[in-house]
Amino acid sequence: GYDWTSEGSPRLWRCDGLKLYGDEILSQETTCSDEALQAIADEGFTGIWLDVPLNSIMRSTIFPELNQPERNRRLAALRMVIQRAATHGLGLWLYFNEPLGVAADHPFWKTHANARGDRCWNKFALCPSAPEVQAFLLEAVESVFREVQDVAGVILITAGEDVTHCWSKRPVAFGGTPPDCPRCREREPADIVLQQIRAWADVRNRQKSPFRILAWNWEWIYWYRDPQREIALSLPEGVELLLDMEIGGWKSLFGKRFEIREYSLGYIGPSERFVATRNAARERRIPVHAKIEINCTHELCSVPNVPVIGVLHGKFAALHERGAAGFLGCWSQGVGLTLNTAAMRTFLRDPVRFADRTTYYAALGEEYFGCRHDEALGRAWDAFSAAFLHYPSSVSLLYGGPHNDAPARPLLLEFRGAPLCASFRAGDMGDDPSACIVASGIEPNAFSLDEIIESYETMAAAWQAGVTDYAWALGQDSAKATALQQLHRHQELSCARMIGLQLESIAIVFRFHRERLRVMAEFGLVAPCALPPDGALVYSMRREIRNAEAALPLVEADARLGFHRESQTYKYNAELIRQKIAAMERSLSQAGVA
């Protein structure tokens, strides 16, 4: 059997400071320092992963136009990271989503028109049915692994994220249309995906390289029902599976059943999809690894971690019971070492003993905080976990909602009607959240505005109850704690208090929006417009000003709060909160509200 807690099992993490979609390998001297790598190893991880696009390190004679400068420098940096990581007992894993699509206006297409595949996002895919594209992928992979030895493994996304073949981003299982490409339109998506994965397996076999290959099931559901046997059971020999632990699971809120379509700390899992695919994989004894998020998810990722330790305990125990071979524990956000990663380290130490949650809580509290008041601590962690089980998890809300910047978001009587910025990107905040409260073909059961408000208000109340126990427990016997444990107490209480205020702010944003819609309907207003100082609007504004004033000292004292690691920007900070308070008070004053 397989067990993610076994010595040497893949437990993959990421160095803080890496910038996804940036030139990560060239930042390795500072981001992947000896100090950072040792800290990751000490936490119980066995590997780190980097995003290194294939065309940045390949040498292609078939499509030389796609070669990038500084290849040799990147390869040298890769070798350096591999050697440095190895001294700390860590392997280096490379994430690939290949071959990347090429911009529609790139001069490449003038000389390689036959390679042109389906169009999406103003790119053309390199058509996987074109012989020269097949030869290109094989040559490109070979050119890398001929130069770089001792890579621990590769992680392959083969369905989405980029335009990597003609069936990418074609959700035919949800009413989407097949690709326009005449060569691929009649091919099975599984045939194309397996062809791409086989290129990596063939290179490994030819070069007798020891690197492992994880085929990730991200978005295979676009084409095939669970458990996607068409792909999962036809993988080349020696290729392993990486399965999303939560995606494809179901939970109920407000009497409706809805599917989890993103990573979630509001759902324990494993999902029905995970279980079905793992059970199918057993037929061929294919090792199955889990994709999870330990610190935070798109549900709330402008904080360093969400301390839902009860949920994490459930995930760790379930993966142990289900025989998961390892895990990928983070994407590009939530990559710090926190209470949550310490929770993984503690469970790892004795998974049989720590299957009992009370015993586990006591051990974690004593080790991380020097705290022996485990009853209050356990009540707090249970309250936080229960709060997040009420999260209204829909993709439109997670990707487009105001949850990550709510503490800095001004609520004004001047309404522009500007759509919100994506929750994971930098940009104009906007002031109209309507777009994140809509259903889609892939996700028909979106939550109503009333349900969203009730969910966040329920979460905020449950969370605040937990903070009371947390503050008491962490305030006891602090003189007996080590300096590091005292720092942990301060950081985690700061984070928990801010999450409580942030949940309150999110609820107020949506409540204000509901009242604004009512007032606009009553007065026949359309955006952009000035709203009358309606009592409910003014009440929400005053309430949010008080909330922002309570958040300000926390944010001033803790630079981790408000920072979004994927966008590498502050979704909120002290300056933005002060600007918000001033703008809201000015808006009230201009409307004649004392």
Side-chain angles (χ1 to χ4, degrees), residues 32 72 169 277 298 345 348 356 391 468 512 515 523 535 553:
C32 302
N72 290 336
K169 313 307 291 184
T277 309
H298 279 304
R345 180 187 67 214
L348 186 66
D356 178 76
Y391 203 104
T468 301
F512 182 82
E515 299 301 335
F523 288 86

Side-chain angles (χ1 to χ4, degrees), residues 394-403 409 419-424 429 432-437 510:
S394 75
V395 170
S396 56
L397 184 61
L398 295 177
Y399 291 177
H403 42 287
R409 178 173 291 278
L420 270 55
C421 173
S423 68
F424 52 91
M429 285 186 197
D432 184 0
S434 299
C436 72
I437 317 169
F510 283 110

Side-chain angles (χ1 to χ4, degrees), residues 411-422:
L411 306 179
L412 308 175
L413 295 174
E414 300 76 34
F415 181 47
R416 294 185 292 142
L420 270 55
C421 173

Side-chain angles (χ1 to χ4, degrees), residues 62-374:
I62 298 170
F63 296 149
E65 300 91 336
L66 300 183
N67 293 327
Q68 290 188 3
E70 297 200 89
R71 178 208 184 214
N72 290 336
R73 184 180 165 208
R74 292 190 188 92
L75 291 175
L78 266 178
R79 295 186 199 101
M80 192 175 300
V81 173
I82 291 169
Q83 294 170 4
R84 191 183 306 134
T87 65
H88 301 282
L90 299 171
L92 177 65
W93 293 68
L94 300 179
Y95 157 67
F96 291 106
N97 182 206
E98 304 288 350
L100 295 174
V102 179
D105 60 355
H106 196 290
F108 170 84
W109 299 117
K110 294 179 181 178
T111 51
H112 299 286
N114 189 60
R116 189 165 65 193
D118 210 49
R119 182 168 184 160
C120 181
W121 296 344
N122 204 33
K123 292 181 177 182
F124 285 111
L126 292 172
C127 178
S129 297
E132 60 266 46
V133 172
Q134 297 171 16
F136 159 73
L137 182 58
L138 196 63
E139 178 196 44
V141 176
E142 278 189 312
S143 73
V144 170
F145 288 94
R146 194 165 45 241
E147 297 280 351
V148 180
Q149 306 300 316
D150 299 322
V151 170
V154 297
I155 302 161
L156 307 179
I157 280 184
T158 52
E161 293 302 281
D162 207 293
V163 189
T164 57
H165 54 74
C166 295
W167 273 94
S168 297
K169 313 307 291 184
R170 289 286 184 169
V172 291
F174 300 95
T177 58
D180 296 326
C181 172
R183 290 176 291 196
C184 293
R185 187 180 182 88
E186 302 305 321
R187 290 184 69 185
E188 277 293 316
D191 180 36
I192 291 172
V193 165
L194 292 167
Q195 171 186 301
Q196 290 181 309
I197 294 171
R198 200 171 296 114
W200 300 85
D202 286 350
V203 168
R204 181 179 66 178
N205 295 339
R206 285 185 199 178
Q207 298 185 354
K208 295 182 172 54
S209 299
F211 69 86
R212 299 170 76 166
I213 301 173
L214 302 189
W216 194 344
N217 73 332
W218 180 260
E219 290 187 354
W220 291 353
I221 191 65
Y222 271 17
W223 312 312
Y224 303 111
R225 294 184 180 276
D226 297 337
Q228 293 94 49
R229 287 175 174 269
E230 295 85 347
I231 304 174
L233 295 193
S234 298
L235 293 172
E237 193 67 32
V239 173
E240 305 169 46
L241 275 169
L242 177 64
L243 306 179
D244 297 305
M245 183 180 185
E246 300 101 8
I247 297 173
W250 293 81
K251 62 187 278 190
S252 296
L253 280 176
F254 306 107
K256 66 173 73 171
R257 195 163 176 263
F258 66 94
E259 189 173 6
I260 305 295
R261 293 193 172 275
E262 251 292 348
Y263 310 121
S264 178
L265 290 173
Y267 171 81
I268 294 175
S271 69
E272 288 87 339
R273 181 174 305 152
F274 181 99
V275 172
T277 309
R278 168 200 165 272
N279 289 346
R282 276 186 160 181
E283 297 174 19
R284 285 191 51 204
R285 300 184 62 81
I286 297 172
V288 169
H289 307 259
K291 173 63 187 71
I292 59 175
E293 296 278 337
I294 291 176
N295 270 331
C296 56
T297 65
H298 279 304
E299 293 158 322
L300 200 67
C301 50
S302 49
V303 292
N305 62 298
V306 181
V308 286
I309 305 304
V311 170
L312 287 176
H313 176 262
K315 292 182 189 293
F316 297 150
L319 292 177
H320 180 63
E321 292 165 5
R322 298 281 182 174
F327 67 74
L328 174 57
C330 66
W331 194 233
S332 57
Q333 60 225 9
V335 298
L337 300 180
T338 69
L339 167 69
N340 293 33
T341 56
M344 187 277 296
R345 180 187 67 214
T346 297
F347 188 90
L348 186 66
R349 200 168 64 237
D350 196 340
V352 175
R353 177 172 169 243
F354 292 142
D356 178 76
R357 190 169 64 181
T358 302
T359 305
Y360 171 70
Y361 279 177
L364 177 60
E366 184 164 356
E367 179 178 335
Y368 198 73
F369 293 129
C371 178
R372 293 167 180 80
H373 297 274
D374 47 277

Side-chain angles (χ1 to χ4, degrees), residues 360-496:
Y360 171 70
Y361 279 177
L364 177 60
E366 184 164 356
E367 179 178 335
Y368 198 73
F369 293 129
C371 178
R372 293 167 180 80
H373 297 274
D374 47 277
E375 287 188 12
L377 203 58
R379 284 197 304 271
W381 285 337
D382 282 343
F384 297 157
S385 298
F388 252 69
L389 295 180
H390 288 275
Y391 203 104
S393 183
S394 75
V395 170
S396 56
L397 184 61
L398 295 177
Y399 291 177
H403 42 287
N404 284 323
D405 61 15
R409 178 173 291 278
L411 306 179
L412 308 175
L413 295 174
E414 300 76 34
F415 181 47
R416 294 185 292 142
L420 270 55
C421 173
S423 68
F424 52 91
R425 292 198 177 114
D428 180 3
M429 285 186 197
D431 61 356
D432 184 0
S434 299
C436 72
I437 317 169
V438 296
S440 67
I442 291 178
E443 195 172 43
N445 288 334
F447 295 93
S448 70
L449 179 54
D450 288 345
E451 289 167 344
I452 290 171
I453 293 168
E454 184 176 339
S455 291
Y456 281 120
E457 287 183 340
T458 299
M459 290 177 69
W463 193 278
Q464 291 292 9
V467 168
T468 301
D469 274 322
Y470 216 35
W472 185 87
L474 296 181
Q476 304 303 306
D477 303 326
S478 59
K480 298 178 182 178
T482 66
L484 181 59
Q485 288 169 337
Q486 289 180 13
L487 175 63
H488 290 163
R489 291 184 186 213
H490 171 76
Q491 288 180 330
E492 292 303 323
L493 185 55
S494 165
C495 182

